[in-house]
């Protein structure tokens, strides 16, 4: 039954919607956590340590964090695979282009496609920069995330990569939230305006919240 659902276009769209909402919930929580950096290194480093001890003593050290990571990886892979397969299926069903293009639909599709690619590449860079320290500048300090964040955003390329990725997040959320609501049956003629408003507000808040951190470092508010 699961294979039958997955093979259908409706099933793939549902997987995209559910995985997208899981990632959206994570983004909201992650943004709120990031803003703790404005309360100083003690507060931010303590928050990072707390993430590794959530659920203790029932859960072992970092088990909850690794569980969250596994769920996120599954969500990202499921989202990307279903998006790719739906795109390929759409091309096969329509080998020739429309005579009259739908400008808004084409723009949204391109935004989602390229935004997804940008975010996929950014996730890899972000993990290598602030989780493993592989590409980190200034000397990665284990257990001192505040200092690592300041190091990253003290470089021009760290700011450019991050801000471009966060703009892509905003565009992705703006279209993706409304699209997910339609797929899961929450949309209707009377609710469409409200859903689009929520999508716009979410996209704006997430973009502003994430971008506030590099801006804070660049302006010396966070140092």
């Amino acid at each position: 039954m699961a294979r039958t659902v997955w093979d259908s276009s409706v099933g793939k769209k549902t997987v995209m919607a559910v995985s997208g909402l899981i990632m959206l919930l994570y983004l909201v929580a992650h943004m709120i956590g990031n803003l703790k950096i404005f309360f100083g290194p003690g507060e931010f480093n303590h928050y990072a340590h707390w993430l590794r001890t959530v659920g203790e003593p029932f859960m072992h050290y970092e088990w909850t964090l690794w569980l969250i990571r596994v769920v996120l990886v599954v969500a990202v892979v499921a989202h990307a695979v279903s998006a790719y397969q739906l795109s390929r299926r759409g091309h096969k069903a329509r080998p020739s282009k429309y005579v009259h293009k739908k400008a808004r639909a084409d723009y949204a599709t391109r935004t989602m496609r390229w935004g997804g690619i940008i975010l996929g590449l950014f996730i890899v860079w972000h993990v290598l920069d602030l989780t493993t320290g592989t590409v980190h500048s200034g000397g990665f300090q284990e257990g001192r995330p505040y200092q690592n964040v300041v190091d990253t955003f003290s470089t021009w390329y760290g700011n450019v990569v991050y801000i471009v990725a966060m703009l892509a997040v905003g565009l992705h959320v703006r279209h993706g939230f409304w699209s997910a609501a339609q797929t899961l049956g929450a949309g209707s003629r009377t609710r469409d305006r409200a859903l689009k408003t929520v999508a716009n507000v979410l996209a704006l808040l997430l973009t502003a919240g994430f971008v506030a951190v590099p801006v804070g470092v660049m302006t010396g508010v966070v140092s």
Side-chain angles (χ1 to χ4, degrees), residues 116-196:
I117 293 172
I118 290 171
L119 291 176
L121 294 173
F122 169 74
I123 289 171
V124 174
W125 178 84
H126 196 51
V127 169
L128 292 176
D129 179 31
L130 292 175
T131 301
T132 67
T134 307
V135 299
H136 185 76
S137 61
F140 185 76
Q141 302 180 60
E142 189 70 38
R144 302 186 71 188
Y146 181 95
Q147 288 73 13
N148 293 332
V149 169
V150 172
D151 284 344
T152 289
F153 296 132
S154 295
T155 62
W156 68 267
Y157 58 86
N159 289 311
V160 170
V161 169
Y162 192 84
I163 291 173
V164 168
M166 292 309 103
L167 292 175
V169 165
L171 290 172
H172 212 75
V173 168
R174 182 175 178 270
H175 178 72
F177 179 83
W178 182 81
S179 181
Q182 300 300 310
T183 297
L184 297 176
S188 69
R189 184 172 297 179
T190 56
R191 287 195 291 261
D192 274 359
R193 180 173 294 182
L195 287 170
K196 287 181 179 178

Side-chain angles (χ1 to χ4, degrees), residues 80-94:
V81 171
S82 54
Y84 174 76
Q85 292 184 355
L86 281 169
S87 177
R88 296 300 302 167
R89 185 170 292 183
H91 283 301
K92 288 180 180 179
R94 192 184 65 252

Side-chain angles (χ1 to χ4, degrees), residues 13-175:
K13 288 180 179 179
T14 302
V15 169
M16 272 194 72
V18 173
S19 60
L21 291 176
I22 290 172
M23 289 186 287
L24 177 59
L25 287 173
Y26 169 76
L27 283 173
V28 172
H30 190 41
M31 180 201 69
I32 294 171
N34 280 2
L35 293 177
K36 287 180 177 289
I37 201 167
F38 289 99
F39 294 95
E43 180 82 12
F44 192 71
N45 290 342
H46 176 70
Y47 161 68
H49 177 71
W50 172 80
L51 288 175
R52 288 157 173 76
T53 60
V54 174
E56 287 187 343
F58 178 75
M59 299 290 281
H60 193 59
Y61 182 75
E62 284 196 343
W63 277 14
T64 302
L65 183 60
W66 274 106
L67 180 62
I68 293 170
R69 287 169 175 169
V70 170
V71 171
L72 280 173
V73 168
V74 171
V76 169
V77 172
H79 198 75
V81 171
S82 54
Y84 174 76
Q85 292 184 355
L86 281 169
S87 177
R88 296 300 302 167
R89 185 170 292 183
H91 283 301
K92 288 180 180 179
R94 192 184 65 252
S96 58
K97 296 182 178 180
Y98 288 124
V99 175
H100 301 289
K101 292 183 178 181
K102 295 181 180 179
R104 289 186 64 184
D106 288 346
Y107 173 76
T109 300
R110 288 196 302 271
T111 299
M112 294 298 283
R113 183 184 300 125
W114 288 107
I117 293 172
I118 290 171
L119 291 176
L121 294 173
F122 169 74
I123 289 171
V124 174
W125 178 84
H126 196 51
V127 169
L128 292 176
D129 179 31
L130 292 175
T131 301
T132 67
T134 307
V135 299
H136 185 76
S137 61
F140 185 76
Q141 302 180 60
E142 189 70 38
R144 302 186 71 188
Y146 181 95
Q147 288 73 13
N148 293 332
V149 169
V150 172
D151 284 344
T152 289
F153 296 132
S154 295
T155 62
W156 68 267
Y157 58 86
N159 289 311
V160 170
V161 169
Y162 192 84
I163 291 173
V164 168
M166 292 309 103
L167 292 175
V169 165
L171 290 172
H172 212 75
V173 168
R174 182 175 178 270
H175 178 72

